[in-house]
Amino acid sequence: MAGNFWQSSHCQQWLLDPSDLVRERQVDFAVVTEEDYQKLFIFFSNFIQVLGEHLKLKQQVIATATVYFKRFYARNSLKCIDPLLLAPTCILLASKVEEFGVISNNRLITTCQSVVKSKFSYAYPQEFPYRANHILECEFYLLENMDCCLVVYQPYRPLVQFVQDIGQEDLLGLSWKIVNDSLRTDISLLYPPYQIALAAMQMACVVLQKDGKNWFAEIAVDTDKIQEITRQILALYDLYKTYDEKKEIQGLLAKMPKPKSQPSRPPSSAQSQDGIQGTNDQSMGVNN
Amino acid sequence: MDYDFKVRTSVERTKVEDLFEYEGRKIGRGTYGHVYKAKRKETFATSDINKLISADQKEYALKQIEGTGLSMSACREIALLRELKHPNVINLQRVFLSHTDRKVWLLFDYAEHDLWHIIKFHRAAKANKKAVYTPKAMVKSLLYQILDGIHYLHSNWILHRDLKPANILVMGEGIERGRVKIADMGFARLFNSPLKPLADLDPVVVTFWYRAPELLLGARHYTKAIDIWAIGCIFAELLTSEPIFHCRQEDIKTSNPYHHDQLDRIFNVMGFPHDKDWEDIKKMPEHPTLLKDFKRNNYQTCSLMKYMDRYKIKADTKAFHLLSKLLMMDPTKRFTSEAAMADPYFQEDPLPTSDVFAGCPIPYPKREFLSDEEQDDKSDSSKQQQQQQQQQQQHASQSGSSNHSHGHHPQHPVQQNNMQGGMHPNYSNHPGHPQQQSHPQQNNSFNQRF
Ligand SMILES: Nc1ncnc2c1ncn2[C@@H]1O[C@H](COP(=O)(O)OP(=O)(O)OP(=O)(O)O)[C@@H](O)[C@H]1O
Ligand SMILES: [Mg+2]
């Protein structure tokens, strides 16, 4: 689907406004602070990254899985689905869409178990609790909540093009890594991938002391947006200066809003209350 | 997963059976699903239970994807169709996920006709010595719209890979009367820098009759040119009402892409390619087998010109000229969809029309409902078909249902006879051998602490 970003579901439905995010997160912010919330997302982005690497997935697939993960929680509270369950589900769905070949359920679960044990025991001392049927159930919810928008545009392809265009191929390595880091922020929900690529490239220019000014001046681009992206990535690096995940994460996970397997109110009243908000199409489901 | 979340979403979720009437209205059974002709049920408005909303009378095609859960091909079909918008590509209206039985339903606009039925109609007419060939103007309009749709797909870096008459739909009466809709994108995939060789991934590709020679010679990567070859085959079939590379299907036994009889058929029509016509043929994986099995001398007298001449398509016509460009043996010399659309054939009278029937009455019968007996037919062919479908289902949805062993692929392709009749080509199904590749350097972070 290259070259068609402007007509894509990504562009038309999934470039959100920062205020959308704040509004949707109010439920969670009542339980954890904004900073805690961010730290939790850094943790789970890392989890997806490590899981993907253990499954030998390409970075493109991992990035897509991470965006799926963020899209779900951009519309839902952390309490709706345990992120530890949603993370491997995103990996599974992304690997099917990005045509990597199907990861078998067994392999996915076994990898989750071994990754949790070997890499994340500081956060989860217990075993990975989910089985294949949990993931398959979860996959339907994920797809439904993303409104079946599965094609995600990533900054990697435009990045490669820009680097070639500017004629400084040695920028690629560093800017690629910065793009990877941007997955730990909300950036992929807020900005089109080409802007993220440009911001990463500009940051790489600064770090490597390359002069890209003329090139950046020539391409017509919204510099305010590039600055916003840069600021968010720098904020991430700042946060990391004082944040010790190994120490804090168990506390954060304990605080995190969690799913309840029991109704919090009688199901009959829950049904009729929620049903009223439905549209015409949904009325048949109420059946009362 | 949260209990309240489940309850809330299940209340909000629209069920396909609440919204659509489709029972007993099955119109198609493909390899990857059942297709029903559906119409909206009458629904009540929430605000006023007494007020009936009269259901919209539009017809839809509702496809229940074979198997349970989200197979890879289902995922890809949803992912791509969700993004595509072109008048000549079938439009996905909506997806229904049925959580209880884990079925996936896709809702499309309903297309009354397809080229498989249209060609069948003309073939029958020809056999009865009635109106002979498909109207020339209609063939041109059909081809133009097929090319238009494929050009859209190709310029979005999507290959169809399963082009054949049954997958080219044509709209019946209504505002889109006589418009081509390319359907069945289950196999379609992005091919811009594929993450792995496509041949490894999805062993079931283009039906043999419409398979390009490079595929039969073991080409590992699919190209736009493979779709163009299939369009050339469809064009010829529209002109003559006969599948140009018709071939017995009985001896498809191997998981090998190499298929002797199909190649023999192609050479019998086209002649054996000279080295200068197709220089890279030497690089094809199965080239040694080709040299061993075939003798150029046996095809000395064959040519596309002779073949088409038998059907009164003369070599000096623009139609023939375009056909020969679409059916170039060398994929690098084959026309692109863009070049084909600019061909003089389309500038010559009669010009292509957006209603391929050009306002004339449509002689083709409407789709019939398939009865249940027909589906459960106990004949050998249908058993074989079911067997194959189960195997493919297993192959395609191995991630979708948890109860069968993984990593198991069907080892022996089983012949599939389509119940609609002998003209439907068969598939061979053979195991893929996914090879995982690692790309360790790509995953690093700049900040070493991640
Ligand atoms: N939109 C539609 N309108 C009317 N009929 C349709 C529509 N889509 C599909 N059909 C009918 O259903 C049949 C099967 O659909 P489709 O080709 O999408 O499924 P499939 O399982 O991928 O089939 P195959 O792989 O055998 O081509 C078609 O050949 C056609 O006859
Ligand atoms: Mg089909």
Side-chain angles (χ1 to χ4, degrees):
Chain A
M1 296 298 307
N4 198 16
F5 175 73
W6 303 108
Q7 271 116 55
S8 68
S9 64
H10 184 166
C11 179
Q12 291 177 354
Q13 274 178 261
W14 288 101
L15 289 183
L16 308 178
D17 197 74
S19 61
D20 294 339
L21 290 183
V22 173
R23 182 169 19 83
E24 298 287 340
R25 287 173 185 169
Q26 284 315 309
V27 183
D28 288 339
F29 287 168
V31 185
V32 294
T33 68
E34 220 172 311
E35 191 178 300
D36 292 348
Y37 188 91
Q38 195 189 353
K39 288 174 177 172
L40 285 166
F41 272 79
I42 293 173
F43 173 77
F44 285 108
S45 305
N46 284 341
F47 180 66
I48 293 173
Q49 182 74 39
V50 173
L51 190 58
E53 285 171 21
H54 276 250
L55 290 162
K56 302 198 165 56
L57 300 179
K58 264 196 127 183
Q59 184 58 28
Q60 170 101 8
V61 186
I62 298 175
T64 295
T66 312
V67 173
Y68 289 174
F69 186 85
K70 287 171 191 297
R71 283 181 179 182
F72 182 87
Y73 292 113
R75 294 272 155 85
N76 296 281
S77 157
L78 281 163
K79 92 183 241 302
C80 294
I81 295 179
D82 180 0
L84 187 62
L85 171 61
L86 191 69
T89 309
C90 293
I91 286 274
L92 179 69
L93 191 57
S95 72
K96 289 183 206 169
V97 172
E98 299 274 352
E99 62 181 291
F100 192 78
V102 180
I103 303 171
S104 80
N105 299 329
N106 263 340
R107 193 163 152 248
L108 183 61
I109 296 292
T110 328
T111 314
C112 285
Q113 288 166 343
S114 70
V115 161
V116 164
K117 198 176 278 167
S118 65
K119 304 270 168 166
F120 295 96
S121 57
Y122 64 89
Y124 289 104
Q126 331 79 326
E127 241 192 58
F128 178 76
Y130 298 108
R131 296 289 167 266
N133 59 319
H134 298 118
I135 290 184
L136 296 179
E137 182 191 24
C138 185
E139 196 181 32
F140 264 41
Y141 285 90
L142 174 61
L143 183 63
E144 190 170 78
N145 269 273
M146 294 198 299
D147 196 19
C148 296
C149 301
L150 293 171
V151 175
V152 176
Y153 288 77
Q154 298 294 345
Y156 301 107
R157 198 192 305 279
L159 180 66
V160 172
Q161 282 166 5
F162 293 147
V163 167
Q164 276 168 5
D165 192 51
I166 200 172
Q168 309 218 24
E169 308 269 332
D170 45 345
L171 282 176
L172 185 62
L174 181 58
S175 24
W176 184 286
K177 289 174 191 173
I178 295 173
V179 169
N180 289 354
D181 292 342
S182 78
L183 290 171
R184 273 83 171 167
T185 69
D186 289 332
I187 289 171
S188 57
L189 291 176
L190 301 173
Y191 304 93
Y194 80 93
Q195 286 180 358
I196 303 172
L198 286 171
M201 217 168 90
Q202 207 172 47
M203 289 173 77
C205 278
V206 172
V207 174
L208 298 173
Q209 302 189 320
K210 302 263 179 199
D211 186 18
K213 282 208 183 63
N214 289 335
W215 187 84
F216 279 99
E218 265 172 41
I219 54 167
V221 68
D222 190 340
T223 34
D224 288 352
K225 296 279 184 220
I226 308 289
Q227 291 317 314
E228 282 174 37
I229 297 169
T230 309
R231 229 177 291 132
Q232 292 187 43
I233 296 175
L234 290 175
L236 174 77
Y237 294 153
D238 266 352
L239 181 133
Y240 252 90
K241 283 183 193 143
T242 56
Y243 170 44
D244 184 353
E245 187 178 80
K246 292 220 155 62
K247 254 209 216 122
E248 289 181 40
I249 195 67
Q250 279 212 14
L252 291 173
L253 288 170
K255 263 200 273 178
M256 182 174 78
K258 292 189 190 52
K260 296 189 180 62
S261 54
Q262 293 298 312
S264 59
R265 51 185 165 160
S268 58
S269 77
Q271 279 205 5
S272 52
Q273 272 187 21
D274 286 340
I276 287 167
Q277 297 160 2
T279 62
N280 291 350
D281 279 358
Q282 290 153 353
S283 61
M284 296 304 283
V286 178
N287 248 345
N288 44 3
Chain B
M1 208 172 289
D2 187 63
Y3 182 87
D4 288 344
F5 172 69
K6 279 192 181 182
V7 169
R8 175 168 50 86
T9 49
S10 113
V11 167
E12 286 172 359
R13 183 174 306 126
T14 317
K15 296 197 191 73
V16 65
E17 63 270 25
D18 291 340
L19 219 53
F20 287 96
E21 186 73 61
Y22 57 85
E23 223 165 290
R25 299 164 59 91
K26 188 181 288 189
I27 47 168
R29 170 161 198 177
T31 332
Y32 285 94
H34 302 249
V35 180
Y36 300 83
K37 179 175 178 176
K39 57 174 196 259
R40 255 179 204 277
K41 282 185 176 175
E42 305 216 314
T43 52
F44 296 96
T46 15
S47 52
D48 182 3
I49 280 246
N50 300 317
K51 191 176 137 202
L52 262 178
I53 298 173
S54 66
D56 98 54
Q57 285 308 298
K58 224 182 124 184
E59 283 160 336
Y60 296 90
L62 194 54
K63 178 167 171 177
Q64 184 191 46
I65 293 179
E66 189 78 53
T68 54
L70 285 165
S71 68
M72 195 159 158
S73 66
C75 270
R76 200 165 297 131
E77 185 159 6
I78 293 171
L80 293 180
L81 285 171
R82 190 74 181 65
E83 306 297 325
L84 297 176
K85 231 175 185 49
H86 186 276
N88 299 119
V89 174
I90 194 77
N91 180 31
L92 177 65
Q93 294 270 357
R94 195 167 173 175
V95 179
F96 293 94
L97 299 175
S98 169
H99 290 238
T100 42
D101 58 6
R102 305 212 19 89
K103 285 284 184 191
V104 179
W105 295 81
L106 307 180
L107 184 72
F108 298 100
D109 291 333
Y110 178 74
E112 189 66 81
H113 309 285
D114 62 65
L115 292 194
W116 188 83
H117 284 99
I118 289 177
I119 292 167
K120 184 177 150 189
F121 178 89
H122 285 281
R123 225 162 105 101
K126 197 168 78 171
N128 296 334
K129 310 231 163 7
K130 286 191 202 140
V132 188
Y133 295 111
T134 318
K136 290 234 157 61
M138 184 175 85
V139 172
K140 188 184 285 186
S141 304
L142 285 167
L143 181 66
Y144 190 79
Q145 293 187 36
I146 295 169
L147 287 167
D148 208 354
I150 281 299
H151 178 248
Y152 171 77
L153 295 178
H154 284 183
S155 53
N156 281 294
W157 301 95
I158 292 170
L159 290 170
H160 188 289
R161 303 204 323 154
D162 195 24
L163 284 170
K164 57 183 181 181
N167 288 339
I168 310 289
L169 309 181
V170 181
M171 298 296 279
E173 300 296 347
I175 45 167
E176 289 197 286
R177 185 185 205 271
R179 183 176 289 169
V180 166
K181 299 279 175 186
I182 297 175
D184 202 358
M185 307 293 298
F187 288 119
R189 59 179 67 254
L190 296 99
F191 71 110
N192 202 357
S193 71
L195 300 188
K196 52 192 329 220
L198 295 173
D200 284 347
L201 210 67
D202 217 340
V204 191
V205 203
V206 185
T207 314
F208 278 105
W209 294 352
Y210 305 91
R211 261 192 193 190
E214 66 270 26
L215 271 181
L216 298 166
L217 291 174
R220 302 259 305 148
H221 291 272
Y222 300 94
T223 58
K224 297 179 186 181
I226 287 167
D227 283 344
I228 299 294
W229 176 272
I231 293 175
C233 299
I234 294 170
F235 185 25
E237 194 166 331
L238 286 168
L239 291 168
T240 67
S241 304
E242 305 286 345
I244 180 167
F245 301 123
H246 176 271
C247 173
R248 288 181 313 126
Q249 308 275 333
E250 281 91 88
D251 34 18
I252 302 170
K253 290 193 191 70
T254 157
S255 65
N256 198 320
Y258 179 80
H259 188 238
H260 175 278
D261 289 7
Q262 188 63 60
L263 281 166
D264 177 57
R265 171 65 188 175
I266 292 177
F267 299 148
N268 262 312
V269 173
M270 305 290 295
F272 197 87
H274 283 275
D275 287 351
K276 66 167 168 36
D277 296 334
W278 186 1
E279 284 176 14
D280 288 345
I281 193 170
K282 297 186 205 75
K283 297 182 190 159
M284 302 306 300
E286 299 292 342
H287 187 247
T289 332
L290 179 78
L291 291 185
K292 182 166 64 71
D293 289 0
F294 290 91
K295 287 202 176 56
R296 175 186 309 280
N297 288 344
N298 294 346
Y299 306 98
Q300 217 80 24
T301 57
C302 307
S303 75
L304 181 62
M305 200 192 295
K306 270 197 190 151
Y307 175 85
M308 292 308 289
D309 193 68
R310 266 180 257 153
Y311 295 94
K312 312 270 179 304
I313 308 291
K314 301 290 173 201
D316 58 0
T317 58
K318 294 202 163 64
F320 178 84
H321 186 260
L322 176 56
L323 178 66
S324 66
K325 294 291 184 186
L326 298 172
L327 290 180
M328 281 290 189
M329 296 286 268
D330 181 348
T332 63
K333 294 188 180 133
R334 227 168 274 157
F335 256 9
T336 63
S337 50
E338 223 166 354
M341 286 167 76
D343 193 81
Y345 172 61
F346 296 114
Q347 272 119 50
E348 172 185 82
D349 274 339
L351 294 176
T353 48
S354 61
D355 169 6
V356 300
F357 308 119
C360 301
I362 303 173
Y364 313 112
K366 294 189 166 190
R367 291 185 194 278
E368 283 172 19
F369 295 137
L370 305 174
S371 69
D372 283 333
E373 297 93 79
E374 231 173 310
Q375 290 146 37
D376 301 336
D377 191 71
K378 297 295 174 305
S379 73
D380 281 345
S381 69
S382 118
K383 247 188 247 161
Q384 275 187 344
Q385 181 183 354
Q386 278 169 10
Q387 194 182 345
Q388 162 138 5
Q389 269 164 355
Q390 277 159 12
Q391 288 185 346
Q392 288 188 340
Q393 180 183 337
Q394 204 165 356
H395 171 72
S397 67
Q398 56 165 294
S399 71
S401 61
S402 46
N403 53 356
H404 39 60
S405 64
H406 297 292
H408 169 80
H409 294 274
Q411 292 302 315
H412 302 289
V414 181
Q415 194 194 323
Q416 176 196 10
N417 292 327
N418 193 294
M419 62 194 171
Q420 287 171 303
M423 273 184 71
H424 234 82
N426 299 336
Y427 293 97
S428 103
N429 187 6
H430 53 76
H433 303 285
Q435 291 149 7
Q436 305 293 354
Q437 295 161 341
S438 108
H439 304 273
Q441 297 90 344
Q442 295 190 311
N443 302 336
N444 308 352
S445 147
F446 167 44
N447 187 324
Q448 290 307 314
R449 299 189 53 188
F450 289 109

